[in-house]
Every structure is written in C-alpha cells, then in structure tokens.
Amino acid sequence: SKKEKRKAKEDKKEQKQNVYPRPLEKFHALRQRFGVAQRLQENVSEQGYDLATEVQLAALPVLLDDPKSFLPLPTESNAAALESSCIDLLTVAPTGSGKTLAFLIPLFSKIMRLRKSQKDVRHTTAVILAPTKELVGQITNEGKKLALNTGIKITQVRKGMRLGHSLAADDSAEDKAEEESSVKVDILVSTPGVLHSILADQEGDTHNALPAVQSLVLDEADVLLDPLFRDQTLAIWNKLSHADLRVSLWSATMGSNVEDLARSTIAERRKRLAESDVE
Ligand code: ADP
Ligand code: MG
C-alpha cells in the first residue's frame, strides 16, 4: 500500500542519516515493520502488554534492524570505532523497565531466521549471562513463554551439563556417543561462574563447545564487568569464536569503565582470531 511504501522510504532515509530508527509504537508493528515471525508476535501479544516500554520502543528497532546501520554518533572517529566493534547496543534503563523482553524479542527473531538455514541440526547460537541464579531463572522463564511453538529451545545452564557441539560426518563413534548425551539448545542462560566452569571442564575436548554462538547478551552488564565477575565474563566472551558474534550490554547503571572494558575485550578477541587464522 501507499502507506507502507512511504514508511519504507522513511526507514531508508533514517538509515542514510545515521540517526536512531523510528521508535516502535506498538508490539503490533513487530511483524509489519520487522518481519518478526507470526508465532513470535503472538507469543509477545500473549504477555498482554499493550504498549512497549520506553527502553523497548527505542531498543527493539535498533536490534531488529541492522544495528550497524544506526551508528549513533556522526563524528568520524566515533563512527569508525563503533563500526569495527561487535557491540550492537549498550543500554542503560532503570530496573523494572522491561529490558528482558527488549533483548529476548530480537534474539528470538534472529534465531528463528538462523534455524531456517540450520535445518534439523540444532546449534547453540545465543548465550545470555546474568549475575545471579534468580535472574537466570527469570530470564529463562520469560524466554520459555516466547519460545512456545516456535521450535526454539532455551535452557538454564546447570553444573555438570555437557554442552552440545556439532560433529563432522567422519567423527569417531566415541565423539558421537558424547554428542548424544550433550545438551542441544538454541539459547543458554547462565551465571558467568557456572558456564565458565563448564567451558573449562570441556577445554580438553577436541571440539570448541560453543562454536556457533552469534549473540551474547550481558544482562546487568555493570555487575558482570565488575571485579567480582569480570574475569569469568570476559573469559566466556573470549571463548566465543564465531566471526559474526554480536554483543549487547544491558544495565540499570553503567560505570564509565564498561565501555573501555568492552573495547579492550574486542581488541583482544580480534587479535586472537587473527592469530588462529594464521595457524
Ligand atoms: P528490567 O530488566 O528492566 O529490570 P524486566 O525485564 O524484569 O525489567 O521487567 C519488569 C516487569 O515489567 C516484568 O514483570 C515484565 O514482565 C514487565 N513488562 C515487560 N514489558 C512490559 C510492557 N511492555 N508493558 C508492561 N509491563 C511489561
Ligand atoms: Mg533485568
């Protein structure tokens, strides 16, 4: 229709100008504007929320579109730095403002798209980290509501879990037996401590435990990057070796060191990836 065409034109213009995208007015727009799967749209509607919260209406359009096309800062140096980073969004919004749905909806939308190309093989493509078991439980519960009938599996990481990895056709029978007993889900939700210890335990394996992870969400990022959790959080981030890894950080307060830490992690990771390319 004419209206749609005009909207598409406006969207294009926004992208050219490198400004923030038009906010999401209503959850209805998820499907019309961003092609979110019908089932996912329905599961969002099922939550009974009429209007998106402030953080949702601002963050959803950025994450559901190509975040790189919305570099917020027009100055050249900043734009260049942001463009080469793998951070989609650094979000600061008060407690209770609905940040969980703001990161879950785009994550689900992306994974539903990815799964179409994966066919019957299921790889873990997203990791969500949060500082406490309670938060991990809450995020998982919200995720399960969105996952209903979408085919997406989300689970809370528990001690002793074996993480799944995909095998090549010529892998040994032993590898195949291990593969059988491992957890195969799309989204893992964990505290840094539990996931870090599992990854350390599986270190000796010939396979990288999480090679397909393309999205990392740091919820309560200020806490995840404070001295108590920082080493584990960054170690996990560094182990995610997918070249297209995208990271988003969410917090109620953001210490000034968070951006610096994120940048140095990106630099370190890039160096390591470059080295492994040379090998
Ligand atoms: P935050 O992580 O920002 O502290 P949460 O994601 O935990 O906030 O959300 C706080 C509460 O608000 C939850 O009970 C959640 O279900 C609810 N909520 C989320 N989105 C909306 C919305 N659009 N309208 C009304 N309530 C919402
Ligand atoms: Mg929260």
Side-chain angles (χ1 to χ4, degrees), residues 18 68 70-85 87 259-260 263:
N18 271 354
K68 278 195 175 173
F70 296 116
L71 295 174
L73 303 167
T75 71
E76 258 170 48
S77 59
N78 281 337
L82 275 168
E83 185 141 38
S84 63
S85 94
I87 296 199
E259 208 172 327
D260 290 342
R263 277 195 205 299

Side-chain angles (χ1 to χ4, degrees), residues 117-172:
S117 57
Q118 285 181 343
K119 308 221 166 68
D120 48 341
V121 196
R122 192 186 298 273
H123 301 293
T124 297
T125 50
V127 168
I128 303 172
L129 294 179
T132 67
K133 238 163 97 175
E134 290 69 32
L135 263 171
V136 166
Q138 281 170 28
I139 295 165
T140 311
N141 285 341
E142 284 211 40
K144 284 194 192 299
K145 289 186 215 160
L146 289 188
L148 204 72
N149 295 325
T150 59
I152 292 183
K153 291 189 182 172
I154 174 167
T155 203
Q156 181 169 348
V157 179
R158 295 206 170 70
K159 278 193 189 119
M161 237 180 209
R162 255 202 81 79
L163 303 180
H165 44 235
S166 51
L167 295 177
D170 58 355
D171 276 328
S172 72

Side-chain angles (χ1 to χ4, degrees), residues 225-226 230 234 237 257-266:
L225 292 173
D226 84 9
R230 182 189 301 173
L234 298 186
W237 185 341
N257 64 333
V258 167
E259 208 172 327
D260 290 342
L261 261 173
R263 277 195 205 299
S264 57
T265 307
I266 292 162

